Amino acid sequence: MIDSGKIESPALRLARYLKEFVGLRSTTVRDFSKYESVIWFNEMPQVADCRSAAWTDALESDESWLEVRKQEFRNPPAPPAAIAQWVDETALARATQVFPPLREFILVEDTNAELEDGESPPMVKVFLKDHPEAERGYEQYRPKWEAWSEDHRRREAVQRIYAKLFTLHTQLQKQGEILELVLGMGLLDWRAPGGNSAIAVRRHVVVGNVELTFEPGKGIIRIGPPGEGARLRIEDDMLEAELRPDRSHYTELETQLEEIGDAVWDKPLVYEALRSWAGVLEANAHWHEGLDAREGNGKYPCVSFAPALILRKRLQTGMVRVYEKLIEDLGEENSSVPDGWGILIDDKWESKPPSIPKPVDELTGITPSDSEIYFPLPANREQRQIVRALESDRHVLVQGPPGTGKSHTIANLMCHLLATGKRVLITAETARALKVL
């Protein structure tokens, strides 16, 4: 490859190739409907058992972004005997906005009819207008039922959100390696020009990391920032390169997002950041505050705050950024190739590992032998082969399908390396993987 009249180094060519490869593997999602699940904050009931700073400033800064409690439902109040026959009990059990009306008439047995042996009494119509006591009982019962109905509907709305969050929790527990839960802000709605036709885009431009915690004993689900923070970031992969704002604007917005940190409901700061991004995206872009997900006119981009919880497949954008930074560093004058990268492009690449003194047992004064393997857990021949491989190779790949004991093996290796004076750094794509370890 030729760049600025210079022949690119093998390291730089490899970085560019891998960035392109990862980009091709990533499926561009332009519409949020392609996600696994989306829960909008504007669809949540704003009541005591569904609390969020998204719609109130009364919460403390260290409280959860969202807290939802499991609901207990009460039976409807029993109707008085005076109206028991005049109202549909099935309708009374449904919490609706309209109180079920009384029947205009009912059928009752005619107790005055003359009957022969074995004959059942005939049924006759009895009209409501002839029973004012039923009307009075109806009006006395009505406030009790309406209060129950309103409370029941409120609880149903909260329980629907609780059930959706419970489903998210279950999916993350089962597929945490491939799924992620994020908070989306700044919904972009636009029929963006692209080639010979417009490209429909409806996706959030800023996302942040989310942690979902579940307390089954208390029936509480909370949403908040994870231990490492929300890490708000821009996402523009749904836009063609020529439609994205100039890179200089990204630096300013990234600074704003860093200042926001975990204070994602600080409306002045968040609105200013999203408004700024919309302003540099297109001259006629529209910006809307509030929780509602607005739709644009198609011609010009429309950006609205419209926060939502999004469960989606993990994107490759983070890896693309890693390669972009590597390409930037390798493109500089007199740049040095990292050891881990150099071995990928040169079979004869050599780097001297740091010299680490071996530990000495404080009680016995004995230095552990390189030939001895310190595994506290049961081990097999393959695990011991990994230790031998590490003694001669700087890079060892161990792979296997779920359930084959990779976490067990890593735990053994950590203990062995520490016992022989090594330092160990563990990284993982998900926090769940580290918890398992």
Side-chain angles (χ1 to χ4, degrees), residues 314-333:
R314 293 184 178 276
L315 304 181
Q316 297 288 335
T317 52
M319 187 58 69
V320 170
R321 292 192 189 97
V322 170
Y323 288 129
E324 287 177 345
K325 183 64 169 64
L326 187 58
I327 291 169
E328 180 183 340
D329 293 343
L330 292 174
E332 295 179 354
E333 295 266 346

Side-chain angles (χ1 to χ4, degrees), residues 97-401:
Q97 292 184 337
V98 179
F99 185 36
L102 295 178
R103 298 184 175 98
E104 292 185 5
F105 64 90
I106 59 175
L107 295 175
V108 299
E109 294 180 350
D110 185 2
T111 57
N112 297 322
E114 295 182 0
L115 304 176
E116 297 182 0
D117 292 341
E119 186 179 8
S120 300
M123 306 297 289
V124 295
K125 285 184 177 181
V126 177
F127 290 90
L128 177 64
K129 62 181 181 179
D130 298 327
H131 290 268
E133 73 283 357
E135 294 276 10
R136 291 192 297 270
Y138 178 82
E139 293 303 323
Q140 292 174 356
Y141 173 72
R142 180 170 184 166
K144 298 179 182 179
W145 184 92
E146 289 178 339
W148 167 84
S149 178
E150 182 180 357
D151 177 75
H152 193 92
R153 284 182 279 116
R154 176 187 62 80
R155 292 178 183 273
E156 282 183 328
V158 175
Q159 188 64 21
R160 279 194 295 270
I161 300 301
Y162 183 90
K164 289 182 179 180
L165 294 175
F166 182 87
T167 301
L168 295 188
H169 174 263
T170 302
Q171 290 178 279
L172 288 170
Q173 289 292 309
K174 294 180 179 179
Q175 305 180 70
E177 301 296 330
I178 61 175
L179 297 178
E180 64 176 353
L181 182 63
V182 297
L183 172 69
M185 298 186 297
L187 179 67
L188 171 63
D189 187 274
W190 187 21
R191 292 196 55 85
N196 298 324
S197 60
I199 301 173
V201 174
R202 189 164 171 80
R203 224 184 94 182
H204 291 88
V205 300
V206 171
V207 300
N209 296 340
V210 166
E211 182 177 56
L212 186 153
T213 57
F214 175 43
E215 296 185 44
K218 296 181 179 179
I220 299 176
I221 296 179
R222 294 186 178 91
I223 296 291
E228 66 272 17
R231 295 185 180 180
L232 297 178
R233 56 197 178 274
I234 310 164
E235 290 193 347
D236 60 1
D237 55 290
M238 62 282 198
L239 296 174
E240 299 300 316
E242 62 272 14
L243 297 178
R244 299 170 188 170
D246 185 80
R247 295 307 304 177
S248 61
H249 297 299
Y250 283 76
T251 302
E252 180 180 353
L253 179 54
E254 286 167 354
T255 301
Q256 290 176 298
L257 295 179
E258 187 175 346
E259 290 177 356
I260 293 170
D262 295 343
V264 298
W265 307 118
D266 188 327
K267 305 298 194 308
L269 288 179
V270 175
Y271 286 175
E272 177 61 27
L274 295 174
R275 184 187 297 110
S276 299
W277 194 88
V280 299
L281 178 62
E282 214 274 344
N284 296 303
H286 301 286
W287 156 250
H288 299 280
E289 300 179 356
L291 303 181
D292 293 337
R294 301 292 190 95
E295 293 185 2
N297 58 12
K299 185 176 181 181
Y300 301 119
C302 171
V303 180
S304 51
F305 178 44
L309 293 171
I310 299 168
L311 183 71
R312 66 186 186 182
K313 292 181 179 178
R314 293 184 178 276
L315 304 181
Q316 297 288 335
T317 52
M319 187 58 69
V320 170
R321 292 192 189 97
V322 170
Y323 288 129
E324 287 177 345
K325 183 64 169 64
L326 187 58
I327 291 169
E328 180 183 340
D329 293 343
L330 292 174
E332 295 179 354
E333 295 266 346
N334 302 320
S335 61
S336 59
V337 179
D339 287 342
W341 200 250
I343 200 172
L344 296 176
I345 60 173
D346 188 352
D347 291 337
K348 298 181 180 180
W349 185 274
E350 293 184 2
S351 60
K352 186 178 180 181
S355 177
I356 302 175
K358 294 183 178 180
V360 177
D361 190 287
E362 295 180 357
L363 296 177
T364 64
I366 299 175
T367 299
S369 170
D370 287 339
S371 62
E372 189 169 354
I373 296 178
Y374 299 92
F375 281 174
L377 301 176
N380 55 26
R381 181 171 56 86
E382 286 76 12
Q383 291 182 1
R384 294 185 175 87
Q385 287 178 340
I386 297 171
V387 174
R388 301 306 178 204
L390 286 170
E391 292 174 356
S392 57
D393 297 318
R394 290 179 55 80
H395 302 83
V396 176
L397 173 65
V398 180
Q399 61 182 7

Side-chain angles (χ1 to χ4, degrees), residues 7-16 330 337 341 345-346:
I7 298 178
E8 292 185 339
S9 67
L12 184 53
R13 289 203 303 271
L14 178 61
R16 291 190 187 280
L330 292 174
V337 179
W341 200 250
I345 60 173
D346 188 352

